[in-house]
Amino acid sequence: MSASKKYKRVTVKSLIEMKSLGEKISMLTAYDYTMAKIVDGAGVDVILVGDSASNVMAGHETTLPITLDQMIYHASSVVRAIDRALVVVDLPFGTYQSDSKEALRSAIRIMKESGGHAVKLEGGKEIKDSIKKILNAGIPVMGHLGLTPQSIYKFGTYTVRAKEEQEALQLIEDAKLLERLGCFALVLEKIPASLAKKVAESIRIPVIGIGAGGDVDGQVLVLHDMIGMTHEFHPRFLRRYMSLYEEMTTAISEYVSDVKTSEFPNKNEQY
Ligand code: KIV
């Protein structure tokens, strides 16, 4: 039986069960009600209200500027749309790194004000106190290692991470630590496929990859990239399932032309 039939409502427990049964996990981003309704209806297991909303929705160059209030606005719109998917919400930059009490306050605001089901934080041992505190309050936490876009100014580029042995070993350590702390899943972004496979094999919690190859427990993409709305972004790992940028441009140009030539509206389109 496919996951979409078996799990009427996806929970953090279902995801761990999917890994143990060898059932791959599908995850996509959404930031608004209309898109989330389509994504949930199509059977996606996990909807990520990613801080990539900063780029995709607001046009910022990085994920750093998005605020907690803005994430709560996006997440509550998504939560109103869903019947089945687990909704995970990114804690934005600056809301969990300074101390664990602030991290807990931020996570509680997300859970209380948006109705999301879990939070995601970027980082390993350097944020372990924040993760512990949030987990102790009963809030499920998804980890995120490898390319962590909130640290873009430390890395300098969005290129593949953990190609060198030392960084790879640290990543494995961090993944094991996140499992020990009690995270329910882990996102690995843009790392060598062989390393991602090794991580997925060495921990029991599901590993969901983006640019991390196929030997992990699930995949995540940014919705607007996979439906081809963000046509200027084409990393190797991205598979485009539609070319919506071109299709929308054609449709909108036709509309403009129809308005200009009085082709729209016609007699059947008026009262
Ligand atoms: O914010 C986001 O969309 C993400 C995914 C790229 C995993 O964190």
Side-chain angles (χ1 to χ4, degrees):
M1 193 188 288
S2 80
S4 49
K5 299 253 166 61
K6 187 165 165 206
Y7 299 100
K8 273 195 133 148
R9 192 99 215 192
V10 180
T11 65
V12 297
K13 287 249 166 67
S14 337
L15 299 183
I16 291 168
E17 192 181 294
M18 284 182 202
K19 170 157 181 156
S20 67
L21 296 173
E23 168 118 36
K24 297 266 184 173
I25 296 162
S26 59
M27 173 160 144
L28 274 179
T29 61
Y31 319 107
D32 67 69
Y33 177 85
T34 306
M35 289 290 202
K37 198 134 192 93
I38 297 170
V39 172
D40 185 60
V44 166
D45 299 311
V46 183
I47 296 185
L48 172 66
V49 184
D51 59 358
S52 51
S54 180
N55 314 99
V56 178
M57 294 280 106
H60 292 296
E61 202 180 316
T62 72
T63 57
L64 276 65
I66 200 161
T67 66
L68 190 55
D69 284 336
Q70 288 165 340
M71 288 303 295
I72 289 169
Y73 166 78
H74 287 298
S76 52
S77 307
V78 167
V79 168
R80 282 192 286 275
I82 58 111
D83 286 325
R84 177 183 172 273
L86 182 84
V87 178
V88 179
V89 186
D90 266 340
L91 277 188
F93 176 68
T95 65
Y96 62 96
Q97 292 93 342
S98 58
D99 71 73
S100 61
K101 282 191 187 149
E102 193 194 0
L104 178 58
R105 273 195 299 275
S106 307
I108 287 177
R109 279 202 61 202
I110 291 211
M111 302 300 280
K112 248 181 151 42
E113 296 177 39
S114 78
H117 310 136
V119 295
K120 176 163 82 58
L121 283 71
E122 294 182 7
K125 68 174 190 308
E126 68 283 6
I127 55 157
K128 77 172 190 317
D129 293 340
S130 293
I131 293 177
K132 259 198 226 164
K133 195 103 184 153
I134 296 171
L135 285 166
N136 281 342
I139 301 172
V141 173
M142 177 180 270
H144 183 155
L145 298 171
L147 176 64
T148 46
Q150 291 180 11
S151 309
I152 181 59
Y153 292 115
K154 179 174 137 195
F155 299 141
T157 71
Y158 288 103
T159 52
V160 180
R161 304 300 313 168
K163 287 200 326 206
E164 305 302 327
E165 195 186 355
Q166 205 186 341
E167 196 182 340
L169 289 174
Q170 184 58 56
L171 189 142
I172 295 171
E173 279 304 297
D174 279 339
K176 289 182 177 168
L177 171 69
L178 294 180
E179 176 180 44
R180 271 201 310 282
L181 291 174
C183 290
F184 71 92
L186 169 64
V187 165
L188 288 182
E189 180 165 355
K190 230 173 169 188
I191 61 166
S194 55
L195 175 61
K197 177 175 192 279
K198 206 162 162 186
V199 174
E201 285 169 354
S202 57
I203 59 179
R204 285 182 315 277
I205 58 171
V207 172
I208 300 174
I210 173 164
D215 291 318
V216 287
D217 308 303
Q219 297 294 326
V220 55
L221 285 176
V222 168
L223 175 66
H224 291 67
D225 297 338
M226 66 79 77
I227 59 177
M229 283 181 99
T230 46
H231 75 308
E232 280 164 354
F233 182 62
H234 31 73
R236 191 202 296 192
F237 68 77
L238 174 63
R239 186 179 295 179
R240 283 232 173 84
Y241 287 82
M242 294 178 83
S243 301
L244 263 194
Y245 184 90
E246 286 78 14
E247 283 181 45
M248 287 182 71
T249 304
T250 304
I252 293 166
S253 309
E254 252 177 64
Y255 166 75
V256 171
S257 161
D258 287 352
V259 170
K260 298 278 181 197
T261 58
S262 300
E263 279 293 307
F264 174 79
N266 65 24
K267 289 222 158 47
N268 298 324
E269 292 162 331
Q270 66 187 25
Y271 299 98

